[in-house]
Amino acid sequence: MSIRQFYDRWPQYNRRLTQVVAAMTDDQLAIRPAPEGWPIWATVGHTAAMRTYWLCAVVGEPGAETTPWPDPDGDGWEDDLDHPRSAAELVRALDTTFAIIEGCLDRWTPELIDEVIERQYDGRVQLHSRASILQRLLTHEAYHCGELSQTLGIHDLPQIDLWRPD
């Protein structure tokens, strides 16, 4: 048995984020929540990049080469604020990185999610279970969807309604 049933709404959340981003213009994607904040496109790129970092670089899952982050340990294009990304690039990033999540949801079992993964970070060893990594990713995405929705709402743009029934 896979763990997909425990994360059955995640595909919907990804779809909602992707739909809003796909409809945005370059000017809309350049909106910042505050002068020192990241533009929308960078926040969306960061959200997608964290999927490859945690699942491919930390856990060792395959698929990074199919994403805009074939080296998920390095700097990504979301970090280069002088090179804005288009809605099409962001949709591709969300789609390709979500395919990695889908693979995990299909392959991982309830027994496997308790497995501990060792992460070297800032000269220290951290221990994370697969379950904690999935929870981190899901809450990270929800956090940024809320942040994006607030920024979009302030600018009278469609917000990301993760829970709207289909």
Side-chain angles (χ1 to χ4, degrees):
M1 175 175 77
S2 80
I3 61 167
R4 180 174 285 279
Q5 67 183 349
F6 304 116
Y7 296 90
D8 65 331
R9 294 290 179 238
W10 204 344
Q12 172 182 302
Y13 304 159
N14 183 69
R15 188 171 54 255
R16 298 287 160 64
L17 170 60
T18 303
Q19 288 168 344
V20 169
V21 169
M24 295 181 74
T25 66
D26 289 345
D27 286 342
Q28 292 168 339
L29 290 167
I31 294 170
R32 293 172 182 255
E36 69 282 356
W38 277 358
I40 289 173
W41 72 263
T43 299
V44 173
H46 162 77
T47 302
M50 288 302 95
R51 296 168 173 180
T52 45
Y53 172 72
W54 280 97
L55 294 174
C56 299
V58 175
V59 178
E61 286 293 317
E65 69 282 352
T66 67
T67 76
W69 300 277
D71 176 12
D73 260 339
D75 285 340
W77 52 247
E78 75 283 3
D79 296 315
D80 181 1
L81 297 182
D82 293 329
H83 186 183
R85 299 301 171 153
S86 69
E89 288 174 294
L90 295 168
V91 166
R92 179 182 176 277
L94 291 167
D95 287 346
T96 57
T97 58
F98 197 71
I100 296 167
I101 291 172
E102 296 257 56
C104 294
L105 297 181
D106 287 336
R107 286 189 309 277
W108 292 7
T109 64
E111 297 78 24
L112 188 62
I113 62 171
D114 289 332
E115 179 183 328
V116 174
I117 307 293
E118 185 176 293
R119 174 187 182 215
Q120 298 287 332
Y121 184 76
D122 200 24
R124 296 188 194 130
V125 174
Q126 297 178 341
L127 301 176
H128 302 276
S129 69
R130 288 174 185 258
S132 73
I133 290 170
L134 289 179
Q135 290 167 355
R136 176 186 287 253
L137 285 172
L138 186 57
T139 57
H140 177 257
E141 293 183 21
Y143 172 86
H144 284 304
C145 282
E147 175 187 32
L148 292 167
S149 287
Q150 184 176 30
T151 302
L152 293 168
I154 290 168
H155 292 276
D156 294 322
L157 295 169
Q159 297 178 40
I160 304 160
D161 184 352
L162 297 177
W163 306 282
R164 180 186 82 238
D166 280 334

